[in-house]
Amino acid sequence: MKLSTPLLASTALLAPSIPALKIATSLQWIEHTPQPYAIKNFYKGSSTATLSSGGVANLASGTQFDLAANAETQGLKQYANHKNIRLIYIICEVAYRLVARKDSGITTLADLKGKKIGTMPGTSALVFVDKMMSSVGVSSGQYTVVSGNVCMKAPCGSGTFPQMIKDKQIDAFGIWEPAVELGIEALGASNAVVFQNASLYREVYSLYSTTEKLNDPTMRKDIVEFVRALNQTLDVFTNKPDTVYSTVAQAVGMDAATVKAVWPDHKWSGTWGPDLIDYIVDEDAYLSKTDKRATIAKADLEKFLDTSIIAEL
Ligand SMILES: *[C@@H]1O[C@H](CO)[C@@H](O)[C@H](O)[C@H]1NC(C)=O
Ligand SMILES: *[C@@H]1O[C@H](CO)[C@@H](O)[C@H](O)[C@H]1NC(C)=O
């Protein structure tokens, strides 16, 4: 017994060190939770995989990370100047919701003209709000954007959207979950009107890598293993959600009942169909205006959507 500890220690020192697969991701949203679940339950790469707070910007700014997870909005923003980035898998698609107060006279989206709408500028949430409003002929200058914070669990504090809508500081807000669910609960369902249109806007929360990482055979093997583990995870998230509500709730500081309430708004897609390219072309056209840059050629956007890892599973 006494000898075994030093022996083990020296063996560990001599073992070749295999670097961990490094993944940059938000750690606070529901959408990211398949990743820790996949690492814990299914991942069989050559070494461990580690998650750090970050996103697709980390792939653009250096080579420290091998993978990143983020909404398609952030993916496109980075791809505009870093054509080596690839979207290789879809973790989750979320049809965002916009909740409005009936007691401020709102029954249709068009009623929000001239009103105050809470959302987060620079993110997929503002893209969503803009797309919803322009679909009913209300342009971005015809309503007031009010910034605020999200909330993961009631009671929602000062400066969060659910508190702001309850206290009539805003007429509506649109963002990812569960803030909208908590906003509906704070208002009371009878005073809430909810708008959602997945074909107009859904977040496509995706996994990204770079051509350099994907072309490295050793790294590519681990990336395939990680995506395989994610694919097994999405099967559980889709078909046995009862087994994961509390794990997801714990990971992001929510109540399991709220996770369950917003689960139907989350689609654990994995792969994608031929319609995604047009969706991405449309969003790029929108972002090119707000970010004051040229649009990305469709041929480049086709390269951005890379199904080659999925094909290897
Ligand atoms: C959703 O948006 C599409 C346009 O992308 C539109 O054709 C459709 O009518 C909308 N659906 C609803 C329920 O508003
Ligand atoms: C991913 O998982 C699903 C089960 O949910 C399975 O049907 C599918 O074949 C898997 N995809 C690949 C490419 O292995």
Side-chain angles (χ1 to χ4, degrees):
M1 276 309 283
K2 276 183 184 161
L3 277 174
S4 68
T5 308
L7 269 177
L8 274 176
S10 58
T11 311
L13 280 175
L14 290 173
S17 79
I18 302 165
L21 190 66
K22 292 204 186 66
I23 307 158
T25 178
S26 64
L27 298 170
Q28 69 259 61
W29 317 129
I30 296 169
E31 292 90 317
H32 99 278
T33 56
Q35 298 173 93
Y37 193 97
I39 292 169
K40 184 163 180 232
N41 296 288
F42 298 122
Y43 180 60
K44 293 195 182 74
S46 60
S47 176
T48 53
T50 60
L51 298 173
S52 311
S53 179
V56 66
N58 294 101
L59 294 181
S61 64
T63 57
Q64 190 196 346
F65 288 96
D66 309 310
L67 293 167
N70 241 158
E72 82 296 343
T73 303
Q74 303 305 328
L76 281 168
K77 281 173 181 276
Q78 295 302 329
Y79 187 65
N81 293 313
H82 302 274
K83 295 289 189 305
N84 59 333
I85 293 175
R86 294 291 179 269
L87 186 161
I88 60 170
Y89 194 69
I90 296 178
I91 298 174
C92 187
E93 289 179 86
V94 192
Y96 286 178
R97 297 186 292 170
L98 191 152
V99 57
R101 275 173 32 220
K102 279 188 191 161
D103 67 5
S104 73
I106 293 147
T107 52
T108 69
L109 267 181
D111 295 333
L112 284 167
K113 187 172 177 179
K115 302 281 190 181
K116 290 183 194 150
I117 307 180
T119 194
M120 220 179 261
T123 73
S124 52
L126 180 60
V127 178
F128 160 66
V129 168
D130 266 355
K131 286 213 159 195
M132 291 293 273
M133 297 310 295
S134 66
S135 78
V136 293
V138 180
S139 64
S140 56
Q142 294 179 306
Y143 58 90
T144 306
V145 169
V146 181
S147 298
N149 295 318
V150 296
C151 172
M152 302 303 284
K153 185 176 179 158
C156 295
S158 174
T160 65
F161 294 125
Q163 173 272 321
M164 290 163 84
I165 197 167
K166 181 169 177 258
D167 296 340
K168 307 188 176 185
Q169 291 163 253
I170 50 179
D171 302 292
F173 73 91
I175 197 155
W176 50 87
E177 301 294 339
V180 178
E181 179 65 25
L182 296 171
I184 296 167
E185 287 170 17
L187 275 181
S190 61
N191 191 23
V193 52
V194 178
F195 304 98
Q196 181 181 41
N197 186 333
S199 61
L200 205 56
Y201 187 81
R202 62 185 187 280
E203 175 196 28
V204 184
Y205 186 87
S206 306
L207 187 72
Y208 305 90
S209 189
T210 63
T211 51
E212 291 81 0
K213 301 285 180 180
L214 294 167
N215 290 338
D216 172 339
T218 313
M219 176 59 65
R220 189 175 178 97
K221 258 190 203 160
D222 279 350
I223 292 174
V224 169
E225 285 312 314
F226 185 67
V227 173
R228 196 191 308 283
L230 271 180
N231 190 57
Q232 288 171 277
T233 301
L234 297 197
D235 185 29
V236 178
F237 275 44
T238 304
N239 296 312
K240 292 181 188 153
D242 281 332
T243 66
V244 301
Y245 292 146
S246 64
T247 309
V248 169
Q250 245 173 20
V252 295
M254 287 174 61
D255 289 321
T258 314
V259 173
K260 187 174 179 176
V262 300
W263 207 254
D265 299 304
H266 295 73
K267 193 170 158 250
W268 310 100
S269 322
T271 186
W272 59 87
D275 60 314
L276 184 63
I277 184 69
D278 291 334
Y279 185 81
I280 290 290
V281 167
D282 268 8
E283 184 164 340
D284 178 62
Y286 167 88
L287 290 174
S288 69
K289 285 185 205 127
T290 57
D291 294 352
K292 299 186 172 48
R293 60 163 171 82
T295 56
I296 304 169
K298 186 172 180 184
D300 280 337
L301 291 171
E302 280 165 346
K303 282 187 210 152
F304 177 55
L305 305 181
D306 183 343
T307 55
S308 69
I309 294 289
I310 291 170
E312 279 182 44
L313 295 190

